[in-house]
Amino acid sequence: MMRNATRATILFAILGGLLVGFIVLPLLRTLTATSLRGLILALQDPQLQRSLAVTFGGAALATTIGLLTAVPLAYLLARRRFRGRGLVEAVVMLPVIVPHTAAGVALLLVFGRYGLMGQAFARVGVSFTDTVAGIVLAMLFVSAPFLVSASREAFALVDTEIERVALSDGASPLQAFWHVTFPLARRGILAGALMMWARGISEFGAVVILAYHPKVMTVLVYERLQGFGLQAALPATAVLIGVALIAIGVLRGVLGVQRESTTG
Amino acid sequence: MLRRRLRRAHALCLVGVWLAACAPASPTPAAPAADPSAPSGDERTPLVVFAAGSLIVPFAELEAAYEAKHPAIDVRPEYHGSIQVIRHATELHEPIDVVATADASLLPMLMFQVEDPATGTPYAEWACSFAGNRLALAYTDRSLYTEEIDSQNWPEILARPEVLLGLADPRFDASGYRAMMALALAERWSGEFGLFNQVFEGQFTYPVRIFREDSLSTITVPEVLETRSEAHLRMRGGSIQLLALLESGDIDYAFEYESVIRQHGLRMLQLPLPVDLSDEAYRDQYAQAVVELDFQRFASVEPRFIGEPIAYGITIPSTAPHPQEAEKFIAFLLGPEGRAVMQADQHPVLPSPLAMGWEAMPVSLQPLCAGVGGP
């Protein structure tokens, strides 16, 4: 019996190990193919610096808008039973399934110069083609589902009894949310925000259609690979992978802290 | 329980990432329906054709016609800016059977002079110019100043800050540097030596410079070319990427080839013959505009493009996995059937294709493409 279990463990470890190796090897190869000097030079490159600023800043702005809109929506989805809730959940998850080039085309139709929203925003001097606003929009569209999903899960974990106690002690629903539910769910929301930010950084398809310029990191990597070759694209690629590693490390840290605090 | 749900949330996020990563990064043109009598894709010999974006419409039909005639061949076309087409072979070392560019002179510059490190032989030793074209301005009914624009005042209209102008990146696409040449030639033709700067000054982070001499205007494109946030110029890697922006109304005008404009049913402003790079009679005048790419970091060659009548070039890279099949495909293109497809799609073919490096050409293609000063 025990022997069978060990065999199963070994078999699963081999199969799982293949997948882990498949993920790790290309990433590691990219990092090792880039010299430290090349990486330092790349980080001093003004174009890359601008691109990093636009990418990280754009994703941060998208995440901020996400926090203001996705978190209230996630709360409703977690706490309220209403007609069409399933439909709303499905709609919010759609950007994960819709190919991102298709998302870019759809956004261009609505937020382009003659699109419904494009025309409305043009009246206040905001345009979305080849602007940071367009980048933020594309990032927001494709990455918001991650924040909604994570926040909804986080709210669902908060005991409704604690909220009820706050309400019976005289707190308004908004006060109960702000002082009780949100703080208890904040680590899950933070993890979702981090996922959303990281997903925004890695977006290519939707951004490249709406705003080729100013170039975000993924567009810059694509342009350098297409236009100048592998060696030219490597340092920028390594920087992107480095950021992803840091993001996943922080994400695990956030989740780890929550695990300890909720189970310990 | 709590821990399990957290893990579930985390896993959901990661599944989402995976799903998102599966989304295609770039669209590929739809392949025509396969001949039902043809063998399945697995059995067919793949023929990888990398071509200039402006060939996308005729080459899609060429693919269908060729596959119908040769059911054992699976033509796999991929379209980019012409310089990118070549770099896929020479820098990214992709196995490509046929390379077709919108500028034949790129082939000697970027393939004859560059050696494959694996074999020490050049990436190509011959090329055949097979088609022409004409540079023009594409626009739509919604574009600004359509009632006003004509073959005289177009540079002035394009320079207006509220007019959004589409330009292919001159570092990657022949239509990009040809658009710059057209403005330099328009200056010489009209005698108004400020038109180029009116359109391009203040548009880029690092400026594109023009240096004028008696019989030569030299344009220098910096290695890093990106538009400024307040620019009215919209730049894309290839000219065909501008078509969607035209159709959505997000640009007013774009430099495009006449064949592409006609294929997409867009409105067209013909540029004057001394400017549109179409007429052999103006060869000497066209040569007065030169574009230099100021590449220092990324490329081993420093490309210099001299204005000349537009000629599309085709070759078989020395690294082609299926050179014999590539030969047959090019013979089909240069022959009556291929020429008929091109003409049906309003892409002008050269009356007699012209070869560079004729003696190095495959023997089967030599009768179809005359040598420069040769037979």
Side-chain angles (χ1 to χ4, degrees):
Chain A
M1 186 74 181
M2 195 65 184
R3 210 170 143 183
N4 284 345
T6 313
R7 270 189 193 159
T9 306
I10 291 169
L11 178 68
F12 288 2
I14 291 170
L15 293 173
L18 283 172
L19 181 67
V20 173
F22 168 70
I23 294 168
V24 167
L25 192 65
L27 299 178
L28 207 62
R29 179 73 191 97
T30 311
L31 291 176
T32 54
T34 316
S35 68
L36 190 62
R37 192 172 166 274
L39 204 61
I40 291 167
L41 280 175
L43 288 169
Q44 290 170 346
D45 173 357
Q47 191 189 24
L48 198 127
Q49 286 173 355
R50 277 196 300 277
S51 181
L52 280 172
V54 168
T55 311
F56 292 177
L61 209 55
T63 307
T64 306
I65 298 169
L67 283 168
L68 292 172
T69 52
V71 172
L73 177 66
Y75 180 78
L76 289 179
L77 292 173
R79 281 287 187 266
R80 301 282 181 265
R81 301 282 172 271
F82 56 88
R83 231 174 135 173
R85 193 177 69 133
L87 185 67
V88 173
E89 279 182 330
V91 166
V92 170
M93 290 311 286
L94 261 181
V96 175
I97 313 292
V98 170
H100 289 192
T101 41
V105 171
L107 287 170
L108 184 66
L109 282 179
V110 177
F111 289 91
R113 195 183 183 193
Y114 291 106
L116 186 68
M117 300 302 286
Q119 283 181 318
F121 276 95
R123 290 193 195 104
V124 290
V126 178
S127 70
F128 295 97
T129 43
D130 281 19
T131 63
V132 174
I135 290 169
V136 172
L137 201 74
M139 287 176 168
L140 178 65
F141 188 90
V142 299
S143 61
F146 296 94
L147 183 53
V148 176
S149 175
S151 303
R152 189 188 53 205
E153 288 289 328
F155 285 130
L157 290 174
V158 177
D159 193 345
T160 48
E161 195 54 39
I162 304 173
E163 277 176 48
R164 241 176 259 138
V165 169
L167 289 170
S168 64
D169 281 352
S172 71
L174 209 57
Q175 283 174 322
F177 171 80
W178 188 246
H179 293 291
V180 177
T181 320
F182 184 75
L184 287 170
R186 73 175 187 276
R187 285 210 175 91
I189 295 170
L190 182 64
L194 201 67
M195 279 303 298
M196 182 179 172
W197 181 73
R199 185 64 198 83
I201 287 170
S202 62
E203 179 51 20
F204 174 79
V207 171
V208 83
I209 288 176
L210 203 60
Y212 194 99
H213 295 264
K215 291 186 191 99
V216 294
M217 286 294 287
T218 48
V219 176
L220 189 70
V221 166
Y222 179 73
E223 184 195 274
R224 288 196 176 173
L225 181 73
Q226 291 276 304
F228 302 103
L230 200 55
Q231 287 307 317
L234 267 179
T237 310
V239 169
L240 265 182
I241 292 174
V243 170
L245 290 177
I246 293 167
I248 203 76
V250 175
L251 181 71
R252 289 196 61 81
V254 168
L255 286 175
V257 169
Q258 186 169 8
R259 260 179 222 152
E260 279 163 23
S261 68
T262 50
T263 58
Chain B
M1 176 69 186
L2 220 50
R3 197 166 165 171
R4 223 167 41 225
R5 293 198 72 167
L6 259 176
R7 281 188 176 153
R8 211 179 105 205
H10 194 188
L12 264 176
C13 286
L14 293 177
V15 166
V17 169
W18 174 78
L19 283 169
C22 287
S26 62
T28 49
D35 176 358
S37 64
S40 73
D42 292 337
E43 297 162 15
R44 293 189 292 168
T45 304
L47 185 74
V48 179
V49 178
F50 269 58
S54 52
L55 289 169
I56 194 165
V57 171
F59 268 40
E61 288 189 25
L62 203 70
E63 176 192 354
Y66 190 76
E67 286 178 349
K69 196 172 174 182
H70 302 272
I73 300 295
D74 176 18
V75 179
R76 296 182 181 173
E78 197 171 319
Y79 303 96
H80 301 276
S82 288
I83 298 176
Q84 283 171 310
V85 163
I86 294 174
R87 290 211 169 114
H88 272 271
T90 61
E91 304 255 350
L92 302 181
H93 309 294
E94 291 184 34
I96 298 170
D97 295 305
V98 176
V99 162
T101 60
D103 186 348
S105 71
L106 292 174
L107 296 169
M109 188 191 304
L110 300 174
M111 293 189 85
F112 293 12
Q113 291 179 30
V114 182
E115 288 179 354
D116 174 14
T119 60
T121 56
Y123 278 100
E125 291 178 283
W126 63 271
C128 179
S129 303
F130 67 99
N133 223 327
R134 177 192 292 262
L135 194 67
L137 276 174
Y139 63 102
T140 69
D141 292 337
R142 287 196 292 194
S143 302
L144 298 178
Y145 308 118
T146 54
E147 300 306 314
E148 205 181 321
I149 197 163
D150 59 32
S151 59
Q152 305 287 322
N153 67 3
W154 60 273
E156 185 266 314
I157 301 269
L158 297 186
R160 293 181 184 172
E162 67 275 24
V163 171
L164 298 177
L165 171 64
L167 179 79
D169 193 323
R171 300 170 304 162
F172 310 135
D173 191 293
S175 96
Y177 58 74
R178 283 173 173 154
M180 292 188 160
M181 286 173 182
L183 274 154
L185 293 170
E187 284 190 342
R188 294 189 162 272
W189 177 62
S190 64
E192 293 176 49
F193 288 92
L195 297 177
F196 187 91
N197 285 343
Q198 274 178 34
V199 174
F200 292 120
E201 198 164 42
Q203 297 298 304
F204 303 103
T205 318
Y206 301 99
V208 172
R209 297 184 195 284
I210 184 164
F211 181 68
R212 302 178 189 88
E213 295 167 274
D214 285 345
S215 57
L216 189 67
S217 294
T218 306
I219 299 155
T220 308
V221 175
E223 188 177 51
V224 174
L225 191 68
E226 47 189 20
T227 49
R228 294 170 66 169
S229 56
E230 66 275 22
H232 66 102
L233 210 60
R234 299 281 182 266
M235 202 165 62
R236 293 291 182 271
S239 60
I240 50 161
Q241 293 167 18
L242 298 166
L243 297 170
L245 291 180
L246 263 177
E247 285 166 354
S248 73
D250 285 277
I251 52 177
D252 295 299
Y253 297 90
F255 285 100
E256 294 284 352
Y257 295 113
E258 182 177 354
S259 64
V260 174
I261 298 174
R262 292 193 187 285
Q263 287 154 8
H264 289 83
L266 295 162
R267 292 182 70 178
M268 175 168 73
L269 177 77
Q270 285 199 340
L271 303 178
L273 281 177
V275 169
D276 74 358
L277 301 169
S278 71
D279 196 333
E280 193 60 40
Y282 289 91
R283 180 173 281 277
D284 290 344
Q285 263 171 272
Y286 296 155
Q288 293 181 349
V290 168
V291 174
E292 291 179 347
L293 302 187
D294 184 21
F295 283 179
Q296 288 157 9
R297 278 183 299 176
F298 299 134
S300 49
V301 283
E302 283 192 26
R304 186 171 191 268
F305 311 118
I306 301 166
E308 59 182 358
I310 293 168
Y312 283 63
I314 196 161
T315 191
I316 302 170
S318 57
T319 50
H322 309 100
Q324 286 174 342
E325 296 305 335
E327 251 181 78
K328 288 180 197 156
F329 179 80
I330 294 176
F332 183 79
L333 166 70
L334 299 178
E337 290 152 299
R339 292 169 74 84
V341 168
M342 294 287 286
Q343 280 166 334
D345 281 320
Q346 309 190 69
H347 196 125
V349 290
L350 297 185
S352 47
L354 210 59
M356 292 170 278
W358 185 84
E359 54 293 332
M361 275 185 99
V363 175
S364 70
L365 296 179
Q366 285 178 339
L368 297 166
C369 202
V372 179

